[in-house]
Amino acid sequence: MDWDPSVGDRRQHLAFTGLDLDTERLEALLDSCLLAPGEGLMHFQEDPFADQLGR
Protein backbone atom coordinates (compact mmCIF):
# COMPACT_ATOMS: atom_id res chain seq x y z
CA MET A 1 0.00 0.00 0.00
CA ASP A 2 1.15 3.48 -0.81
CA TRP A 3 -1.16 5.61 1.30
CA ASP A 4 -0.53 9.29 1.80
CA PRO A 5 -2.61 10.98 4.52
CA SER A 6 -3.08 14.19 2.49
CA VAL A 7 -3.86 12.72 -0.96
CA GLY A 8 -4.90 9.15 -0.25
CA ASP A 9 -4.04 6.20 -2.47
CA ARG A 10 -1.54 7.30 -5.11
CA ARG A 11 -1.13 4.11 -7.11
CA GLN A 12 -3.05 2.22 -9.73
CA HIS A 13 -2.21 -1.35 -10.72
CA LEU A 14 -3.12 -2.88 -14.04
CA ALA A 15 -2.49 -6.45 -15.12
CA PHE A 16 -2.54 -7.60 -18.74
CA THR A 17 -2.40 -11.18 -19.89
CA GLY A 18 -2.60 -12.67 -23.33
CA LEU A 19 -0.87 -14.78 -25.92
CA ASP A 20 1.74 -12.95 -27.97
CA LEU A 21 1.09 -9.71 -26.10
CA ASP A 22 3.00 -6.84 -27.74
CA THR A 23 4.32 -5.26 -24.54
CA GLU A 24 6.20 -2.45 -26.29
CA ARG A 25 3.07 -1.34 -28.14
CA LEU A 26 0.96 -1.65 -25.00
CA GLU A 27 3.43 0.40 -22.95
CA ALA A 28 3.55 3.08 -25.66
CA LEU A 29 -0.24 3.25 -25.73
CA LEU A 30 -0.48 3.55 -21.95
CA ASP A 31 2.30 6.16 -21.87
CA SER A 32 0.36 8.23 -24.43
CA CYS A 33 -2.48 8.49 -21.89
CA LEU A 34 -0.33 10.20 -19.27
CA LEU A 35 -0.65 13.92 -18.64
CA ALA A 36 2.07 16.07 -20.14
CA PRO A 37 4.00 18.51 -17.96
CA GLY A 38 1.78 21.47 -17.22
CA GLU A 39 -1.45 19.51 -17.64
CA GLY A 40 -3.49 18.55 -14.66
CA LEU A 41 -6.40 19.65 -12.57
CA MET A 42 -6.16 23.21 -13.90
CA HIS A 43 -7.81 21.91 -17.09
CA PHE A 44 -10.81 20.82 -15.03
CA GLN A 45 -11.94 24.02 -13.33
CA GLU A 46 -15.42 22.53 -13.13
CA ASP A 47 -16.24 18.93 -12.29
CA PRO A 48 -17.34 17.35 -15.62
CA PHE A 49 -19.27 14.68 -13.71
CA ALA A 50 -21.07 16.98 -11.26
CA ASP A 51 -24.49 16.63 -12.96
CA GLN A 52 -24.29 12.83 -13.05
CA LEU A 53 -23.21 12.65 -9.41
CA GLY A 54 -25.75 15.17 -8.12
CA ARG A 55 -23.14 17.71 -7.02
PDB file of all heavy atoms in Angstrom, residues 35-51:
ATOM      1  N   LEU A  35      -0.626  12.475 -18.493  1.00  0.00           N
ATOM      2  CA  LEU A  35      -0.652  13.916 -18.642  1.00  0.00           C
ATOM      3  C   LEU A  35       0.740  14.427 -18.965  1.00  0.00           C
ATOM      4  O   LEU A  35       1.733  13.924 -18.455  1.00  0.00           O
ATOM      5  CB  LEU A  35      -1.125  14.575 -17.343  1.00  0.00           C
ATOM      6  CG  LEU A  35      -2.569  14.327 -16.941  1.00  0.00           C
ATOM      7  CD1 LEU A  35      -2.847  14.954 -15.590  1.00  0.00           C
ATOM      8  CD2 LEU A  35      -3.521  14.862 -17.985  1.00  0.00           C
ATOM      9  N   ALA A  36       0.795  15.424 -19.804  1.00  0.00           N
ATOM     10  CA  ALA A  36       2.065  16.072 -20.141  1.00  0.00           C
ATOM     11  C   ALA A  36       2.395  17.088 -19.058  1.00  0.00           C
ATOM     12  O   ALA A  36       1.508  17.530 -18.316  1.00  0.00           O
ATOM     13  CB  ALA A  36       1.946  16.758 -21.497  1.00  0.00           C
ATOM     14  N   PRO A  37       3.658  17.470 -18.940  1.00  0.00           N
ATOM     15  CA  PRO A  37       4.005  18.505 -17.958  1.00  0.00           C
ATOM     16  C   PRO A  37       3.155  19.756 -18.188  1.00  0.00           C
ATOM     17  O   PRO A  37       2.952  20.188 -19.322  1.00  0.00           O
ATOM     18  CB  PRO A  37       5.483  18.787 -18.251  1.00  0.00           C
ATOM     19  CG  PRO A  37       5.987  17.522 -18.860  1.00  0.00           C
ATOM     20  CD  PRO A  37       4.827  16.984 -19.662  1.00  0.00           C
ATOM     21  N   GLY A  38       2.630  20.289 -17.116  1.00  0.00           N
ATOM     22  CA  GLY A  38       1.777  21.468 -17.217  1.00  0.00           C
ATOM     23  C   GLY A  38       0.298  21.146 -17.307  1.00  0.00           C
ATOM     24  O   GLY A  38      -0.541  22.013 -17.093  1.00  0.00           O
ATOM     25  N   GLU A  39      -0.046  19.909 -17.631  1.00  0.00           N
ATOM     26  CA  GLU A  39      -1.448  19.506 -17.642  1.00  0.00           C
ATOM     27  C   GLU A  39      -1.810  19.055 -16.244  1.00  0.00           C
ATOM     28  O   GLU A  39      -0.962  18.731 -15.438  1.00  0.00           O
ATOM     29  CB  GLU A  39      -1.682  18.343 -18.607  1.00  0.00           C
ATOM     30  CG  GLU A  39      -1.565  18.703 -20.050  1.00  0.00           C
ATOM     31  CD  GLU A  39      -1.871  17.538 -20.960  1.00  0.00           C
ATOM     32  OE1 GLU A  39      -1.490  16.404 -20.644  1.00  0.00           O
ATOM     33  OE2 GLU A  39      -2.483  17.783 -21.997  1.00  0.00           O
ATOM     34  N   GLY A  40      -3.052  19.017 -15.971  1.00  0.00           N
ATOM     35  CA  GLY A  40      -3.486  18.548 -14.665  1.00  0.00           C
ATOM     36  C   GLY A  40      -4.847  19.088 -14.317  1.00  0.00           C
ATOM     37  O   GLY A  40      -5.653  19.408 -15.189  1.00  0.00           O
ATOM     38  N   LEU A  41      -5.080  19.249 -13.041  1.00  0.00           N
ATOM     39  CA  LEU A  41      -6.402  19.651 -12.566  1.00  0.00           C
ATOM     40  C   LEU A  41      -6.785  21.049 -13.032  1.00  0.00           C
ATOM     41  O   LEU A  41      -7.958  21.384 -13.040  1.00  0.00           O
ATOM     42  CB  LEU A  41      -6.458  19.562 -11.046  1.00  0.00           C
ATOM     43  CG  LEU A  41      -6.320  18.156 -10.475  1.00  0.00           C
ATOM     44  CD1 LEU A  41      -6.372  18.200  -8.953  1.00  0.00           C
ATOM     45  CD2 LEU A  41      -7.399  17.242 -11.004  1.00  0.00           C
ATOM     46  N   MET A  42      -5.830  21.869 -13.422  1.00  0.00           N
ATOM     47  CA  MET A  42      -6.162  23.212 -13.896  1.00  0.00           C
ATOM     48  C   MET A  42      -7.052  23.150 -15.134  1.00  0.00           C
ATOM     49  O   MET A  42      -7.809  24.058 -15.405  1.00  0.00           O
ATOM     50  CB  MET A  42      -4.896  23.999 -14.191  1.00  0.00           C
ATOM     51  CG  MET A  42      -4.081  24.264 -12.953  1.00  0.00           C
ATOM     52  SD  MET A  42      -2.582  25.260 -13.159  1.00  0.00           S
ATOM     53  CE  MET A  42      -2.201  25.181 -14.860  1.00  0.00           C
ATOM     54  N   HIS A  43      -6.973  22.061 -15.896  1.00  0.00           N
ATOM     55  CA  HIS A  43      -7.807  21.908 -17.085  1.00  0.00           C
ATOM     56  C   HIS A  43      -9.246  21.571 -16.721  1.00  0.00           C
ATOM     57  O   HIS A  43     -10.120  21.617 -17.564  1.00  0.00           O
ATOM     58  CB  HIS A  43      -7.249  20.826 -18.013  1.00  0.00           C
ATOM     59  CG  HIS A  43      -5.948  21.202 -18.632  1.00  0.00           C
ATOM     60  ND1 HIS A  43      -5.826  22.205 -19.546  1.00  0.00           N
ATOM     61  CD2 HIS A  43      -4.706  20.720 -18.442  1.00  0.00           C
ATOM     62  CE1 HIS A  43      -4.566  22.322 -19.918  1.00  0.00           C
ATOM     63  NE2 HIS A  43      -3.865  21.432 -19.261  1.00  0.00           N
ATOM     64  N   PHE A  44      -9.475  21.221 -15.479  1.00  0.00           N
ATOM     65  CA  PHE A  44     -10.805  20.822 -15.034  1.00  0.00           C
ATOM     66  C   PHE A  44     -11.272  21.777 -13.937  1.00  0.00           C
ATOM     67  O   PHE A  44     -11.423  21.398 -12.792  1.00  0.00           O
ATOM     68  CB  PHE A  44     -10.792  19.379 -14.514  1.00  0.00           C
ATOM     69  CG  PHE A  44     -10.336  18.386 -15.542  1.00  0.00           C
ATOM     70  CD1 PHE A  44      -9.073  17.843 -15.477  1.00  0.00           C
ATOM     71  CD2 PHE A  44     -11.167  18.021 -16.580  1.00  0.00           C
ATOM     72  CE1 PHE A  44      -8.640  16.929 -16.423  1.00  0.00           C
ATOM     73  CE2 PHE A  44     -10.745  17.113 -17.533  1.00  0.00           C
ATOM     74  CZ  PHE A  44      -9.485  16.563 -17.453  1.00  0.00           C
ATOM     75  N   GLN A  45     -11.485  23.035 -14.312  1.00  0.00           N
ATOM     76  CA  GLN A  45     -11.936  24.024 -13.333  1.00  0.00           C
ATOM     77  C   GLN A  45     -13.293  23.635 -12.762  1.00  0.00           C
ATOM     78  O   GLN A  45     -13.587  23.915 -11.616  1.00  0.00           O
ATOM     79  CB  GLN A  45     -12.001  25.412 -13.964  1.00  0.00           C
ATOM     80  CG  GLN A  45     -10.650  25.943 -14.394  1.00  0.00           C
ATOM     81  CD  GLN A  45      -9.703  26.166 -13.217  1.00  0.00           C
ATOM     82  OE1 GLN A  45     -10.125  26.527 -12.136  1.00  0.00           O
ATOM     83  NE2 GLN A  45      -8.424  25.921 -13.435  1.00  0.00           N
ATOM     84  N   GLU A  46     -14.121  23.003 -13.585  1.00  0.00           N
ATOM     85  CA  GLU A  46     -15.420  22.527 -13.128  1.00  0.00           C
ATOM     86  C   GLU A  46     -15.436  21.008 -13.219  1.00  0.00           C
ATOM     87  O   GLU A  46     -14.815  20.423 -14.094  1.00  0.00           O
ATOM     88  CB  GLU A  46     -16.532  23.112 -13.991  1.00  0.00           C
ATOM     89  CG  GLU A  46     -16.639  24.625 -13.871  1.00  0.00           C
ATOM     90  CD  GLU A  46     -17.774  25.172 -14.717  1.00  0.00           C
ATOM     91  OE1 GLU A  46     -18.714  24.415 -15.047  1.00  0.00           O
ATOM     92  OE2 GLU A  46     -17.710  26.358 -15.046  1.00  0.00           O
ATOM     93  N   ASP A  47     -16.142  20.388 -12.313  1.00  0.00           N
ATOM     94  CA  ASP A  47     -16.243  18.928 -12.286  1.00  0.00           C
ATOM     95  C   ASP A  47     -17.114  18.473 -13.458  1.00  0.00           C
ATOM     96  O   ASP A  47     -18.319  18.753 -13.490  1.00  0.00           O
ATOM     97  CB  ASP A  47     -16.854  18.480 -10.961  1.00  0.00           C
ATOM     98  CG  ASP A  47     -16.919  16.977 -10.819  1.00  0.00           C
ATOM     99  OD1 ASP A  47     -16.613  16.260 -11.790  1.00  0.00           O
ATOM    100  OD2 ASP A  47     -17.268  16.516  -9.714  1.00  0.00           O
ATOM    101  N   PRO A  48     -16.536  17.762 -14.455  1.00  0.00           N
ATOM    102  CA  PRO A  48     -17.336  17.352 -15.616  1.00  0.00           C
ATOM    103  C   PRO A  48     -18.388  16.303 -15.281  1.00  0.00           C
ATOM    104  O   PRO A  48     -19.279  16.050 -16.084  1.00  0.00           O
ATOM    105  CB  PRO A  48     -16.292  16.798 -16.584  1.00  0.00           C
ATOM    106  CG  PRO A  48     -15.151  16.386 -15.723  1.00  0.00           C
ATOM    107  CD  PRO A  48     -15.148  17.329 -14.559  1.00  0.00           C
ATOM    108  N   PHE A  49     -18.318  15.717 -14.095  1.00  0.00           N
ATOM    109  CA  PHE A  49     -19.269  14.680 -13.706  1.00  0.00           C
ATOM    110  C   PHE A  49     -20.251  15.167 -12.635  1.00  0.00           C
ATOM    111  O   PHE A  49     -21.019  14.387 -12.089  1.00  0.00           O
ATOM    112  CB  PHE A  49     -18.530  13.445 -13.191  1.00  0.00           C
ATOM    113  CG  PHE A  49     -17.586  12.873 -14.212  1.00  0.00           C
ATOM    114  CD1 PHE A  49     -16.222  13.035 -14.075  1.00  0.00           C
ATOM    115  CD2 PHE A  49     -18.056  12.191 -15.315  1.00  0.00           C
ATOM    116  CE1 PHE A  49     -15.341  12.532 -15.011  1.00  0.00           C
ATOM    117  CE2 PHE A  49     -17.200  11.688 -16.263  1.00  0.00           C
ATOM    118  CZ  PHE A  49     -15.843  11.861 -16.122  1.00  0.00           C
ATOM    119  N   ALA A  50     -20.239  16.448 -12.344  1.00  0.00           N
ATOM    120  CA  ALA A  50     -21.073  16.983 -11.263  1.00  0.00           C
ATOM    121  C   ALA A  50     -22.552  16.674 -11.482  1.00  0.00           C
ATOM    122  O   ALA A  50     -23.253  16.283 -10.544  1.00  0.00           O
ATOM    123  CB  ALA A  50     -20.842  18.478 -11.119  1.00  0.00           C
ATOM    124  N   ASP A  51     -23.056  16.879 -12.699  1.00  0.00           N
ATOM    125  CA  ASP A  51     -24.486  16.632 -12.958  1.00  0.00           C
ATOM    126  C   ASP A  51     -24.857  15.173 -12.732  1.00  0.00           C
ATOM    127  O   ASP A  51     -25.889  14.866 -12.147  1.00  0.00           O
ATOM    128  CB  ASP A  51     -24.842  17.021 -14.392  1.00  0.00           C
ATOM    129  CG  ASP A  51     -24.779  18.523 -14.600  1.00  0.00           C
ATOM    130  OD1 ASP A  51     -24.837  19.282 -13.609  1.00  0.00           O
ATOM    131  OD2 ASP A  51     -24.670  18.926 -15.769  1.00  0.00           O
TER     132      ASP A  51
END
